[in-house]
Amino acid sequence: MGDVNGRPRRRYQSSVREESARRTRQAIVDAAGELFVERGYVVTSLAEIAVAAGVARPTVFTAFGSKPALLRQVLDQALAGDDAPVAVADRPWFRPVWDATTPGAALDAYADACVVIARRAALLFETVRRAADDAPEVAELWDTLQRNRRAGAEMVVRHVQTLGDLAPGLDTQTATDTLWIFNDPAHYAALTLQRGWSEDAFRRWLAGTMRRALLPG
């Protein structure tokens, strides 16, 4: 209970409104992610997303401003796991990469992180790749995704180098390019979703491939 001057009731009401707005935004993100993957980005409208989320179309526009902005939010949450403003590299599930004490252990942990990301984002990555040919704003987002994947690969390679040596003749940039190829969620989509590999089999393949490509034999 609150009084006129204490304002606890107002704080409570504000908290309720904020939680309601968060749930609405999440419903929109969930609906958009499903429709983008199922129908494609270009043909999916904000009105259809609103219907699937159970909200009015103006609510979608108010919450995100545009379809490209909504797609970016869908991707951000798929990569990170939720809407908290915490970078992927600072997430608890990425922590084993930094805690590793040998190059091999760091790459094993990175393979685990790649699986976590791909499980949530592989189909969305493919959706963005396909839409990039027809929507300039999505082409820009696709380029950003590629740059960010390579930046993540370089971050891991440099960490690996603090723990030990790379394979003979392999410099930082070549190692980064190599790891950038392997951290592509498309590999998960191809082997796990299309070919039916178990996640454990894929994880072991990915970790082993990264080790063989980057570390001394």
Side-chain angles (χ1 to χ4, degrees), residues 75-177:
L75 276 165
D76 284 348
Q77 285 196 211
L79 291 168
D82 57 44
D83 61 354
V86 180
V88 166
D90 297 327
R91 295 276 171 167
W93 48 266
F94 203 91
R95 187 71 233 171
V97 176
W98 309 128
D99 291 342
T101 58
T102 67
L107 291 178
D108 289 347
Y110 187 53
D112 289 344
C114 288
V115 171
V116 169
I117 291 172
R119 183 188 303 131
R120 295 190 295 252
L123 294 179
L124 280 169
F125 265 65
E126 177 61 14
T127 297
V128 175
R129 185 192 67 78
R130 292 180 179 180
D133 292 335
D134 300 312
E137 71 276 13
V138 181
E140 181 180 350
L141 176 58
W142 179 246
D143 288 343
T144 299
L145 287 172
Q146 303 315 301
R147 290 194 300 271
N148 288 348
R149 279 203 305 108
R150 193 183 185 284
E154 182 172 8
M155 176 180 64
V156 172
V157 166
R158 292 191 180 279
H159 176 58
V160 166
Q161 288 178 288
T162 69
L163 303 174
D165 295 329
L166 295 175
L170 193 63
D171 59 32
T172 300
Q173 293 309 307
T174 304
T176 296
D177 290 342

Side-chain angles (χ1 to χ4, degrees), residues 7 34 66 72 83 112 149 203 216:
R7 292 190 172 86
E34 291 178 7
S66 66
R72 189 176 295 273
D83 61 354
D112 289 344
R149 279 203 305 108
R203 183 184 294 107

Side-chain angles (χ1 to χ4, degrees), residues 21 24-25 28 46 50 53-65:
T24 297
R25 284 176 59 88
I28 294 169
L46 291 182
V55 301
R57 184 185 183 282
T59 301
V60 178
F61 185 82
T62 299
F64 296 98

